[in-house]
Every structure is written in structure tokens, then in C-alpha cells.
Amino acid sequence: INILGNIAGISDRMFSGCSNLSVVQLPNSLKRIESYAFENCTNIRMIALPNGLSNIGDYAFKNCKSLKSITIPNSVNSIGEGAFAECVALTSINIPDGITRLEKDVLRNTGLVSIEIPVSVNYIGTFAFRDCESLTEVRILSPDFTIEVNSFTNMAAPVPTMTIYVVN
């Protein structure tokens, strides 16, 4: 699907459950993706987020099971709770500088193997990486941050070896 026009936002649940979507091209005018906008779009494998996007809402891409990687533009300053939860094929994501919080459940049950958390992030919420069974390396670049309890719970049994590098 190629969404055309001068659209500023994708509203709550606009494409929720549209399992026929596989490739999504969003317009350059887009500033916001609201809560649950693409939830349960289980066949999305590629979505191009435009430069100028500033906000990704709560659970916006929850359960997009075929999504393998996503590039978040540097213009994004807010990623909501559970935004990429249950994206089990997701093995690659960038967190841009400027993001200050990784909210609750943001990357819960993804296929991430490693992640670098930029210096701007000063908060990692509860269950942010819950059930990320393949996650073996986390690099935290911030000199001052809070990690909530249970951010890395319910990993694979037996528990895999995970290395958390605190660079600064």
C-alpha cells in the first residue's frame, strides 16, 4: 500500500488487523502514527517511516509478526508503550538519538539479537525486553539511566547468556 496525500497522522486503529498489508509506504507529510494504528497487521514485512515523523504511538505495530527490520528516522522523539511488542521476526531496529525513554513493553517478544541504546535514553521501562529470547547483547551509551525492574524477564529457558555493556 502506498499512502498518498498531505496526511499528518495515521489515527488510532486505522489499519489494525489488515492482514493483507505486506509493504507500506507512508507520505513525507506524516508526523504521527497513533496508538494501535497497524496492530495485528501480521503480514507487514516492510514499512518505510518518513523523515519528519515525530511520534509512534502505544502499540502502533504490536503483533506485526512478519516485520524483520525497521529504521526509525532521527526526527522521532517519542516511541510509545509496546510500540513493537510481539514483532517476533524483528531482528533489527535503530533507536535514534533524541529518544529519552524506552517505555514499558516497547520491544517485548521480538527477535532482536543485539541493540544499541543511544546516549539520549535515560529510562528503560518494565518489560521493555521481556521474552526477547535471542537477545544476547545490549549496549547502553547513556551515562545516567534508570532500568525498571523486570525489563529483561522471562527470557528463554535455559536462560541465555546476555551481556549488557554500559559504555559510559
Coordinates of all heavy atoms in Angstrom, one line a residue, residues 30-114:
L30 N 3.7 12.9 6.9 CA 3.3 12.2 8.1 C 4.1 12.6 9.4 O 5.3 12.5 9.3 CB 3.4 10.7 8.0 CG 2.7 9.9 9.0 CD1 1.2 10.0 8.9 CD2 3.0 8.4 8.9
K31 N 3.4 13.0 10.4 CA 4.1 13.4 11.7 C 3.8 12.4 12.8 O 4.6 12.3 13.7 CB 3.6 14.8 12.1 CG 3.8 15.9 11.1 CD 5.3 16.1 10.9 CE 5.5 17.3 9.9 NZ 6.7 17.1 9.1
R32 N 2.6 11.8 12.8 CA 2.2 10.9 13.9 C 1.6 9.6 13.4 O 0.9 9.6 12.5 CB 1.2 11.6 14.8 CG 1.6 12.9 15.4 CD 0.4 13.6 16.1 NE -0.9 13.5 15.4 CZ -1.3 14.2 14.4 NH1 -0.5 15.1 13.9 NH2 -2.5 14.1 13.9
I33 N 2.0 8.5 14.1 CA 1.3 7.3 14.0 C 0.7 7.0 15.3 O 1.4 6.8 16.3 CB 2.3 6.1 13.6 CG1 2.9 6.4 12.2 CG2 1.6 4.8 13.5 CD1 4.0 5.5 11.8
E34 N -0.6 7.0 15.4 CA -1.3 6.9 16.7 C -1.3 5.5 17.2 O -1.0 4.5 16.5 CB -2.7 7.5 16.6 CG -2.7 8.9 16.2 CD -2.2 9.9 17.2 OE1 -2.0 9.6 18.3 OE2 -1.9 11.1 16.8
S35 N -1.9 5.3 18.4 CA -1.9 4.0 19.1 C -2.7 3.0 18.3 O -3.7 3.2 17.6 CB -2.7 4.2 20.4 OG -2.0 5.0 21.3
Y36 N -2.1 1.8 18.2 CA -2.7 0.6 17.6 C -2.9 0.7 16.1 O -3.6 0.0 15.5 CB -4.0 0.2 18.3 CG -3.8 -0.2 19.7 CD1 -4.1 0.8 20.7 CD2 -3.5 -1.4 20.2 CE1 -3.9 0.5 22.1 CE2 -3.3 -1.7 21.5 CZ -3.6 -0.8 22.5 OH -3.4 -1.1 23.8
A37 N -2.3 1.7 15.4 CA -2.5 2.0 14.0 C -2.3 0.8 13.1 O -3.1 0.6 12.2 CB -1.7 3.2 13.6
F38 N -1.3 0.0 13.3 CA -1.0 -1.1 12.5 C -1.0 -2.4 13.3 O -0.5 -3.4 12.8 CB 0.3 -0.9 11.8 CG 0.3 0.2 10.8 CD1 0.8 1.4 11.1 CD2 -0.1 -0.1 9.5 CE1 0.8 2.5 10.1 CE2 -0.1 0.9 8.5 CZ 0.3 2.2 8.8
E39 N -1.6 -2.4 14.5 CA -1.7 -3.6 15.3 C -2.3 -4.8 14.6 O -3.2 -4.6 13.8 CB -2.5 -3.3 16.6 CG -2.8 -4.5 17.4 CD -4.0 -4.4 18.3 OE1 -5.0 -3.6 17.9 OE2 -4.0 -5.0 19.3
N40 N -1.7 -5.9 14.8 CA -2.2 -7.2 14.1 C -2.2 -7.2 12.6 O -2.9 -7.9 12.0 CB -3.6 -7.5 14.7 CG -3.6 -7.9 16.1 OD1 -2.6 -8.5 16.6 ND2 -4.6 -7.5 16.8
C41 N -1.3 -6.4 12.0 CA -1.1 -6.5 10.6 C 0.0 -7.5 10.4 O 1.2 -7.2 10.2 CB -0.7 -5.1 10.0 SG -2.0 -3.9 10.1
T42 N -0.3 -8.7 10.5 CA 0.6 -9.8 10.7 C 1.5 -10.1 9.5 O 2.5 -10.8 9.6 CB -0.1 -11.1 11.1 OG1 -1.1 -11.4 10.1 CG2 -0.7 -11.0 12.5
N43 N 1.2 -9.6 8.3 CA 2.0 -9.8 7.1 C 2.8 -8.7 6.7 O 3.5 -8.7 5.7 CB 1.1 -10.3 6.0 CG 0.6 -11.7 6.2 OD1 1.3 -12.6 6.6 ND2 -0.7 -11.9 6.0
I44 N 2.8 -7.6 7.4 CA 3.7 -6.4 7.1 C 5.1 -6.9 7.3 O 5.5 -7.3 8.3 CB 3.4 -5.2 8.0 CG1 2.1 -4.5 7.6 CG2 4.6 -4.2 7.8 CD1 1.8 -3.3 8.4
R45 N 5.9 -6.8 6.2 CA 7.3 -7.2 6.3 C 8.2 -6.0 6.1 O 9.4 -6.0 6.4 CB 7.7 -8.3 5.3 CG 7.3 -8.2 3.9 CD 7.6 -9.4 3.1 NE 7.0 -9.4 1.8 CZ 7.1 -8.5 0.8 NH1 7.9 -7.5 1.0 NH2 6.5 -8.6 -0.3
M46 N 7.6 -4.9 5.5 CA 8.4 -3.7 5.3 C 7.5 -2.5 5.5 O 6.4 -2.5 4.9 CB 9.1 -3.7 3.9 CG 10.2 -2.7 3.8 SD 9.8 -1.0 3.7 CE 9.7 -0.7 2.0
I47 N 8.0 -1.5 6.2 CA 7.3 -0.2 6.3 C 8.3 0.9 6.3 O 9.3 0.8 7.1 CB 6.4 -0.2 7.6 CG1 5.5 1.1 7.5 CG2 7.1 -0.3 8.9 CD1 4.3 1.0 8.4
A48 N 8.2 1.8 5.5 CA 9.1 2.9 5.4 C 8.6 4.1 6.2 O 7.5 4.7 5.8 CB 9.3 3.3 3.9
L49 N 9.2 4.5 7.2 CA 8.8 5.6 8.1 C 9.5 6.9 7.5 O 10.7 6.9 7.3 CB 9.2 5.4 9.5 CG 8.6 4.1 10.2 CD1 9.2 4.0 11.6 CD2 7.1 4.2 10.2
P50 N 8.7 7.9 7.3 CA 9.2 9.1 6.6 C 10.0 10.0 7.6 O 9.8 10.0 8.8 CB 8.0 9.8 6.1 CG 6.9 9.4 7.1 CD 7.2 8.0 7.5
N51 N 11.0 10.7 7.0 CA 11.7 11.7 7.8 C 10.7 12.8 8.1 O 9.8 13.1 7.3 CB 12.8 12.3 6.9 CG 14.0 11.4 6.7 OD1 14.3 10.6 7.6 ND2 14.6 11.5 5.6
G52 N 10.7 13.3 9.3 CA 9.7 14.3 9.7 C 8.7 13.6 10.7 O 8.0 14.4 11.4
L53 N 8.6 12.3 10.7 CA 7.8 11.6 11.7 C 8.3 12.0 13.1 O 9.5 11.9 13.3 CB 7.8 10.1 11.4 CG 6.9 9.3 12.3 CD1 5.4 9.5 12.0 CD2 7.2 7.8 12.2
S54 N 7.4 12.3 14.0 CA 7.8 12.7 15.3 C 7.3 11.7 16.4 O 8.0 11.6 17.5 CB 7.4 14.1 15.7 OG 6.0 14.2 15.7
N55 N 6.2 11.0 16.2 CA 5.6 10.2 17.3 C 5.2 8.9 16.7 O 4.4 8.8 15.7 CB 4.5 11.0 17.9 CG 3.8 10.3 19.0 OD1 4.5 9.9 19.9 ND2 2.5 10.1 18.9
I56 N 5.5 7.8 17.5 CA 5.0 6.5 17.2 C 4.2 6.1 18.5 O 4.8 6.1 19.6 CB 6.1 5.5 17.0 CG1 6.9 5.9 15.7 CG2 5.5 4.1 16.8 CD1 8.1 5.0 15.5
G57 N 2.9 5.9 18.3 CA 2.0 5.7 19.5 C 2.1 4.4 20.1 O 2.8 3.4 19.6
D58 N 1.4 4.2 21.3 CA 1.4 3.0 22.0 C 0.9 1.8 21.1 O -0.1 2.0 20.4 CB 0.4 3.1 23.2 CG 0.9 4.1 24.3 OD1 2.1 4.5 24.2 OD2 0.1 4.5 25.1
Y59 N 1.6 0.7 21.2 CA 1.2 -0.5 20.5 C 1.0 -0.3 19.0 O 0.2 -1.1 18.4 CB 0.1 -1.2 21.2 CG 0.4 -1.5 22.6 CD1 0.0 -0.6 23.6 CD2 1.1 -2.6 23.0 CE1 0.3 -0.8 25.0 CE2 1.4 -2.8 24.3 CZ 1.1 -2.0 25.3 OH 1.4 -2.2 26.6
A60 N 1.6 0.7 18.4 CA 1.3 1.1 17.0 C 1.6 -0.1 16.0 O 0.9 -0.3 15.1 CB 2.2 2.3 16.6
F61 N 2.6 -0.9 16.3 CA 3.0 -2.0 15.4 C 2.9 -3.4 16.1 O 3.5 -4.3 15.7 CB 4.4 -1.8 14.8 CG 4.5 -0.6 14.0 CD1 5.0 0.6 14.5 CD2 4.0 -0.6 12.6 CE1 5.0 1.7 13.7 CE2 4.1 0.5 11.8 CZ 4.6 1.7 12.3
K62 N 2.1 -3.4 17.2 CA 2.1 -4.6 18.0 C 1.6 -5.8 17.1 O 0.7 -5.7 16.4 CB 1.1 -4.5 19.2 CG 0.9 -5.7 20.0 CD -0.1 -5.5 21.1 CE -0.2 -6.8 21.9 NZ -1.5 -7.0 22.4
N63 N 2.3 -6.9 17.3 CA 1.9 -8.2 16.6 C 2.1 -8.1 15.1 O 1.4 -8.8 14.4 CB 0.5 -8.6 17.0 CG 0.4 -10.1 16.9 OD1 1.3 -10.9 17.0 ND2 -0.8 -10.5 16.5
C64 N 3.0 -7.3 14.6 CA 3.3 -7.3 13.2 C 4.4 -8.4 13.0 O 5.6 -8.1 13.0 CB 3.8 -5.9 12.7 SG 2.5 -4.7 12.7
K65 N 3.9 -9.6 13.0 CA 4.8 -10.8 13.1 C 5.8 -11.0 12.0 O 6.8 -11.7 12.2 CB 3.9 -12.0 13.2 CG 3.1 -12.1 14.5 CD 2.3 -13.4 14.6 CE 1.5 -13.3 15.9 NZ 1.4 -14.6 16.5
S66 N 5.6 -10.4 10.9 CA 6.5 -10.6 9.7 C 7.5 -9.4 9.6 O 8.4 -9.5 8.7 CB 5.7 -10.7 8.4 OG 4.8 -11.8 8.5
L67 N 7.4 -8.4 10.4 CA 8.3 -7.2 10.3 C 9.7 -7.6 10.8 O 9.8 -8.0 11.9 CB 7.7 -6.1 11.1 CG 8.5 -4.8 11.1 CD1 8.4 -4.2 9.6 CD2 7.8 -3.8 12.0
K68 N 10.7 -7.6 9.9 CA 12.0 -8.0 10.2 C 13.0 -6.9 10.6 O 13.8 -7.1 11.5 CB 12.6 -8.8 9.0 CG 11.9 -10.1 8.7 CD 12.6 -10.8 7.6 CE 11.9 -12.1 7.4 NZ 12.4 -12.9 6.3
S69 N 12.8 -5.7 10.1 CA 13.7 -4.6 10.5 C 12.9 -3.3 10.3 O 11.9 -3.3 9.5 CB 15.0 -4.6 9.7 OG 14.8 -4.2 8.4
I70 N 13.3 -2.3 11.0 CA 12.7 -1.0 10.9 C 13.7 0.0 11.2 O 14.6 -0.1 12.1 CB 11.5 -0.9 11.8 CG1 10.7 0.4 11.4 CG2 11.8 -0.9 13.2 CD1 9.2 0.3 11.6
T71 N 13.7 1.1 10.3 CA 14.6 2.2 10.5 C 13.7 3.4 11.0 O 12.8 3.8 10.3 CB 15.3 2.6 9.2 OG1 16.1 1.5 8.8 CG2 16.2 3.8 9.4
I72 N 14.0 3.8 12.2 CA 13.2 5.0 12.8 C 14.0 6.2 12.5 O 15.2 6.4 12.8 CB 13.1 4.8 14.3 CG1 12.3 3.4 14.6 CG2 12.3 5.9 14.9 CD1 12.3 3.1 16.0
P73 N 13.3 7.2 11.8 CA 14.0 8.4 11.5 C 14.5 9.2 12.7 O 13.9 9.1 13.8 CB 13.0 9.2 10.7 CG 11.8 8.4 10.5 CD 12.0 7.2 11.4
N74 N 15.5 10.0 12.5 CA 16.0 10.8 13.6 C 15.1 11.9 14.1 O 15.2 12.4 15.2 CB 17.3 11.5 13.2 CG 18.5 10.5 13.1 OD1 18.5 9.5 13.8 ND2 19.4 10.8 12.3
S75 N 14.0 12.2 13.4 CA 13.0 13.1 13.7 C 12.1 12.6 14.8 O 11.4 13.4 15.5 CB 12.2 13.6 12.5 OG 11.6 12.4 11.9
V76 N 12.0 11.3 15.0 CA 11.1 10.7 16.0 C 11.7 11.0 17.4 O 12.8 10.8 17.7 CB 11.0 9.2 15.8 CG1 10.2 8.5 17.0 CG2 10.3 8.9 14.5
N77 N 10.8 11.6 18.3 CA 11.2 11.9 19.6 C 10.4 11.2 20.7 O 10.6 11.3 21.9 CB 11.1 13.5 19.9 CG 9.8 14.0 19.6 OD1 8.7 13.4 19.9 ND2 9.7 15.2 19.0
S78 N 9.4 10.3 20.2 CA 8.6 9.6 21.2 C 8.2 8.3 20.6 O 7.6 8.2 19.5 CB 7.4 10.4 21.6 OG 6.5 9.6 22.3
I79 N 8.5 7.2 21.3 CA 8.1 5.8 20.9 C 7.3 5.3 22.0 O 7.7 5.2 23.2 CB 9.3 4.9 20.6 CG1 10.2 5.5 19.5 CG2 8.8 3.5 20.3 CD1 11.5 4.7 19.3
G80 N 6.0 5.0 21.8 CA 5.1 4.7 22.8 C 5.2 3.3 23.4 O 6.0 2.4 22.9
E81 N 4.5 3.1 24.5 CA 4.5 1.8 25.2 C 4.1 0.7 24.2 O 3.2 0.8 23.5 CB 3.4 1.9 26.3 CG 3.3 0.8 27.2 CD 2.4 1.0 28.4 OE1 2.6 1.9 29.2 OE2 1.3 0.3 28.4
G82 N 4.9 -0.4 24.3 CA 4.5 -1.6 23.5 C 4.5 -1.4 22.0 O 4.0 -2.2 21.2
A83 N 5.2 -0.3 21.5 CA 5.1 0.0 20.0 C 5.5 -1.1 19.1 O 4.8 -1.3 18.1 CB 6.0 1.3 19.8
F84 N 6.4 -1.9 19.5 CA 6.9 -3.0 18.6 C 6.7 -4.4 19.3 O 7.4 -5.4 18.9 CB 8.3 -2.8 18.2 CG 8.4 -1.6 17.3 CD1 8.9 -0.4 17.9 CD2 8.1 -1.6 16.0 CE1 9.0 0.8 17.1 CE2 8.2 -0.4 15.2 CZ 8.6 0.8 15.8
A85 N 5.9 -4.5 20.4 CA 5.7 -5.7 21.1 C 5.1 -6.8 20.2 O 4.3 -6.5 19.3 CB 4.7 -5.5 22.3
E86 N 5.6 -8.0 20.4 CA 5.2 -9.2 19.7 C 5.6 -9.2 18.2 O 5.0 -10.0 17.4 CB 3.7 -9.4 19.8 CG 3.1 -9.3 21.2 CD 3.7 -10.4 22.2 OE1 4.0 -11.5 21.7 OE2 3.9 -10.1 23.4
C87 N 6.5 -8.4 17.8 CA 7.0 -8.4 16.4 C 8.1 -9.5 16.4 O 9.3 -9.1 16.5 CB 7.6 -7.0 16.0 SG 6.3 -5.8 15.8
V88 N 7.7 -10.7 16.4 CA 8.7 -11.8 16.7 C 9.8 -12.0 15.7 O 10.8 -12.5 16.0 CB 7.9 -13.2 16.9 CG1 7.0 -13.1 18.1 CG2 7.0 -13.5 15.6
A89 N 9.6 -11.5 14.4 CA 10.6 -11.6 13.4 C 11.6 -10.4 13.4 O 12.6 -10.4 12.7 CB 10.0 -11.7 12.0
L90 N 11.3 -9.4 14.2 CA 12.1 -8.2 14.3 C 13.5 -8.4 14.8 O 13.6 -8.7 16.0 CB 11.4 -7.1 15.1 CG 12.0 -5.7 15.1 CD1 11.9 -5.1 13.7 CD2 11.3 -4.8 16.1
T91 N 14.5 -8.4 13.9 CA 15.8 -8.6 14.4 C 16.7 -7.4 14.3 O 17.8 -7.4 14.8 CB 16.5 -9.7 13.5 OG1 16.5 -9.3 12.1 CG2 15.8 -11.1 13.7
S92 N 16.2 -6.3 13.7 CA 17.0 -5.1 13.6 C 16.1 -3.8 13.7 O 15.1 -3.7 13.1 CB 17.6 -5.1 12.2 OG 18.3 -3.9 11.9
I93 N 16.5 -3.0 14.6 CA 15.9 -1.7 14.9 C 16.9 -0.7 15.3 O 17.9 -1.1 16.0 CB 14.7 -1.8 15.9 CG1 13.9 -0.5 16.0 CG2 15.3 -2.2 17.3 CD1 12.6 -0.7 16.8
N94 N 16.8 0.5 14.9 CA 17.7 1.6 15.4 C 16.8 2.5 16.4 O 15.7 2.7 16.1 CB 18.2 2.4 14.3 CG 17.1 3.2 13.6 OD1 16.1 2.7 13.1 ND2 17.3 4.5 13.6
I95 N 17.4 2.9 17.4 CA 16.8 3.8 18.3 C 17.5 5.1 18.1 O 18.7 5.2 18.4 CB 16.9 3.4 19.8 CG1 16.3 2.0 20.0 CG2 16.2 4.4 20.7 CD1 14.9 1.8 19.8
P96 N 16.9 6.1 17.5 CA 17.6 7.4 17.2 C 17.9 8.2 18.4 O 17.2 8.1 19.5 CB 16.6 8.1 16.3 CG 15.3 7.6 16.6 CD 15.5 6.2 17.1
D97 N 19.0 9.0 18.3 CA 19.3 10.0 19.3 C 18.1 10.9 19.5 O 17.5 11.2 18.5 CB 20.6 10.8 19.0 CG 21.8 10.0 19.3 OD1 21.9 9.2 20.2 OD2 22.8 10.3 18.5
G98 N 17.8 11.3 20.6 CA 16.7 12.2 20.9 C 15.6 11.5 21.6 O 14.8 12.1 22.3
I99 N 15.5 10.1 21.5 CA 14.6 9.3 22.3 C 15.1 9.3 23.7 O 16.3 9.0 23.9 CB 14.5 7.9 21.7 CG1 13.9 7.9 20.3 CG2 13.6 7.0 22.6 CD1 12.5 8.4 20.1
T100 N 14.3 9.7 24.7 CA 14.8 9.7 26.1 C 14.2 8.5 26.9 O 14.8 8.2 27.9 CB 14.3 11.0 26.8 OG1 12.9 11.1 26.7 CG2 15.0 12.2 26.1
R101 N 13.2 7.9 26.4 CA 12.5 6.8 27.1 C 12.2 5.6 26.2 O 11.7 5.8 25.1 CB 11.2 7.3 27.8 CG 11.4 8.4 28.8 CD 10.1 8.9 29.3 NE 9.3 8.0 30.0 CZ 9.3 7.7 31.3 NH1 10.1 8.4 32.0 NH2 8.5 6.8 31.8
L102 N 12.5 4.4 26.7 CA 12.1 3.2 26.1 C 11.0 2.7 27.1 O 11.3 2.2 28.2 CB 13.2 2.1 26.0 CG 14.3 2.5 25.0 CD1 15.4 1.4 24.9 CD2 13.7 2.8 23.6
E103 N 9.7 2.8 26.7 CA 8.6 2.6 27.5 C 8.3 1.1 27.8 O 8.9 0.2 27.1 CB 7.4 3.3 27.0 CG 7.5 4.8 26.8 CD 7.5 5.6 28.1 OE1 7.3 5.0 29.2 OE2 7.8 6.8 28.0
K104 N 7.4 0.9 28.7 CA 7.0 -0.5 29.1 C 6.7 -1.3 27.8 O 6.0 -0.8 26.9 CB 5.8 -0.4 30.0 CG 5.2 -1.7 30.3 CD 3.9 -1.5 31.2 CE 3.3 -2.9 31.4 NZ 2.0 -2.7 32.0
D105 N 7.1 -2.5 27.7 CA 6.8 -3.5 26.6 C 7.2 -3.0 25.3 O 6.9 -3.7 24.3 CB 5.3 -3.7 26.6 CG 4.7 -4.4 27.8 OD1 5.5 -5.3 28.4 OD2 3.6 -4.2 28.2
V106 N 8.0 -2.0 25.1 CA 8.3 -1.4 23.8 C 8.8 -2.4 22.8 O 8.5 -2.4 21.6 CB 9.3 -0.2 23.9 CG1 10.7 -0.6 24.3 CG2 9.3 0.6 22.6
L107 N 9.7 -3.3 23.2 CA 10.3 -4.3 22.3 C 10.0 -5.7 22.9 O 10.8 -6.7 22.6 CB 11.7 -4.0 22.1 CG 12.0 -2.8 21.2 CD1 13.4 -2.3 21.4 CD2 11.7 -3.1 19.8
R108 N 9.0 -5.9 23.6 CA 8.7 -7.2 24.2 C 8.5 -8.3 23.1 O 7.8 -8.1 22.2 CB 7.4 -7.1 25.1 CG 7.1 -8.4 25.8 CD 5.7 -8.4 26.5 NE 4.7 -8.5 25.5 CZ 3.7 -7.7 25.4 NH1 3.5 -6.7 26.2 NH2 2.8 -7.9 24.5
N109 N 9.1 -9.4 23.3 CA 8.9 -10.6 22.5 C 9.2 -10.3 21.0 O 8.4 -10.5 20.1 CB 7.5 -11.2 22.6 CG 7.4 -12.6 22.0 OD1 8.4 -13.3 21.9 ND2 6.2 -13.1 21.7
T110 N 10.4 -9.8 20.8 CA 11.0 -9.6 19.4 C 12.1 -10.5 19.2 O 12.5 -11.2 20.1 CB 11.4 -8.1 19.2 OG1 12.5 -7.9 20.2 CG2 10.3 -7.1 19.4
G111 N 12.6 -10.6 18.0 CA 13.7 -11.5 17.6 C 15.0 -10.8 17.7 O 16.0 -11.3 17.1
L112 N 15.1 -9.7 18.4 CA 16.4 -8.9 18.5 C 17.5 -9.8 19.1 O 17.3 -10.6 20.0 CB 16.3 -7.7 19.4 CG 15.4 -6.6 18.9 CD1 15.2 -5.5 19.9 CD2 16.0 -6.0 17.6
V113 N 18.7 -9.7 18.5 CA 19.9 -10.4 18.9 C 20.8 -9.4 19.7 O 21.4 -9.7 20.7 CB 20.7 -11.0 17.7 CG1 22.0 -11.6 18.2 CG2 19.8 -12.0 17.0
S114 N 20.8 -8.2 19.2 CA 21.6 -7.1 19.9 C 20.9 -5.8 19.7 O 20.1 -5.6 18.7 CB 23.0 -7.1 19.4 OG 23.0 -6.6 18.1

